[in-house]
Amino acid sequence: MAESDGNAQDQVDEESRLSLLNDALDQASKKIMNKILSQKAFAECLPFLKKKTLALFHTIFGQKLQSKLKEEIDDLFSFLNLKEKLDFLDKIDLEQAELSQGETVWRPTGDPSKDMLAYDMPALQSHKEELLSSLKELQAENENEKKKILKVVEGISETEKQIEGLLIKNEKTLEVLSSLPSL
């Protein structure tokens, strides 16, 4: 078991972000030496040197420049505690890989409006559900109020009918009373 943990740690060290960054910077410095600071460029700047001397000078200069670049980069990495930070990221990646096996992970699409929409969508969906719930409650309240108003209107209609009935009775009574001789 300890051996497999050691192998996993060796694999992390071999493929760590810091080693990848160092390799990339080494390749970039070699490209700079080969393309920008090529032997031909030296020959153009130093035309008075012999070809052998120029080649030797170019090789020595390239090695010294690369070693100085490496020193400066290493100093910068140590000043920024880059190794610890990158190793921490590697550790987080390993932990996440163990946690999320088989799960899909959201990644930005590159279109900020779509990314923001994807980020905001759960909150918008939650607000929409809350609003729909509130709407249903308000519609239920409106239905209840409508029923109450209809009952009041029916009550008013009944009262009007009763009043009309009483008025008709009173008119008949008045007619009967008016037809009687006065006493």
Side-chain angles (χ1 to χ4, degrees):
M1 178 107 177
E3 187 176 294
S4 72
D5 288 344
N7 289 342
Q9 185 61 37
D10 290 341
Q11 186 179 10
V12 168
D13 289 339
E14 289 173 11
E15 296 179 6
S16 71
R17 294 171 194 268
L18 183 64
S19 65
L20 292 173
L21 184 58
N22 275 327
D23 290 345
L25 289 171
D26 284 342
Q27 288 176 6
S29 66
K30 286 177 185 174
K31 281 185 180 180
I32 289 171
M33 284 304 299
N34 290 336
K35 291 187 178 181
I36 298 171
L37 300 174
S38 66
Q39 195 168 352
K40 182 180 177 184
F42 264 71
E44 290 173 1
C45 293
L46 305 168
F48 55 87
L49 290 178
K50 293 181 183 176
K51 201 171 196 177
K52 286 183 181 179
T53 309
L54 184 66
L56 181 63
F57 181 64
H58 180 263
T59 304
I60 292 170
F61 179 77
Q63 290 171 347
K64 295 251 184 206
L65 181 64
Q66 283 181 327
S67 67
K68 284 294 186 183
L69 276 173
K70 181 75 172 141
E71 285 177 29
E72 288 297 321
I73 289 170
D74 288 343
D75 288 345
L76 182 63
F77 284 177
S78 67
F79 175 74
L80 297 174
N81 294 327
L82 196 58
K83 179 177 179 6
E84 292 83 15
K85 292 174 183 173
L86 291 174
D87 287 345
F88 180 71
L89 285 174
D90 287 335
K91 180 182 172 188
I92 290 173
D93 270 353
L94 283 175
E95 290 172 358
Q96 288 299 314
E98 292 171 4
L99 291 176
S100 63
Q101 292 177 351
E103 294 179 20
T104 58
V105 180
W106 179 84
R107 297 282 185 246
T109 63
D111 181 0
S113 61
K114 286 182 181 177
D115 294 343
M116 285 306 297
L117 183 62
Y119 176 78
D120 291 337
M121 191 54 76
L124 292 173
Q125 194 65 29
S126 172
H127 290 304
K128 180 180 176 183
E129 289 171 6
E130 289 176 20
L131 289 173
L132 287 174
S133 173
S134 296
L135 178 65
K136 287 180 183 177
E137 289 176 13
L138 288 173
Q139 285 175 336
E141 281 182 35
N142 280 347
E143 284 299 316
N144 288 336
E145 291 299 318
K146 186 177 177 181
K147 288 177 183 176
K148 286 180 186 177
I149 290 171
L150 286 175
K151 285 182 182 179
V152 169
V153 168
E154 287 175 8
I156 291 172
S157 294
E158 288 296 319
T159 307
E160 283 179 345
K161 287 179 185 176
Q162 288 175 354
I163 291 172
E164 280 183 29
L166 288 174
L167 282 175
I168 291 173
K169 266 188 182 178
N170 284 342
E171 282 180 13
K172 287 182 182 176
T173 308
L174 278 176
E175 283 178 18
V176 170
L177 285 176
S178 61
S179 64
L180 287 178
S182 53
L183 294 170

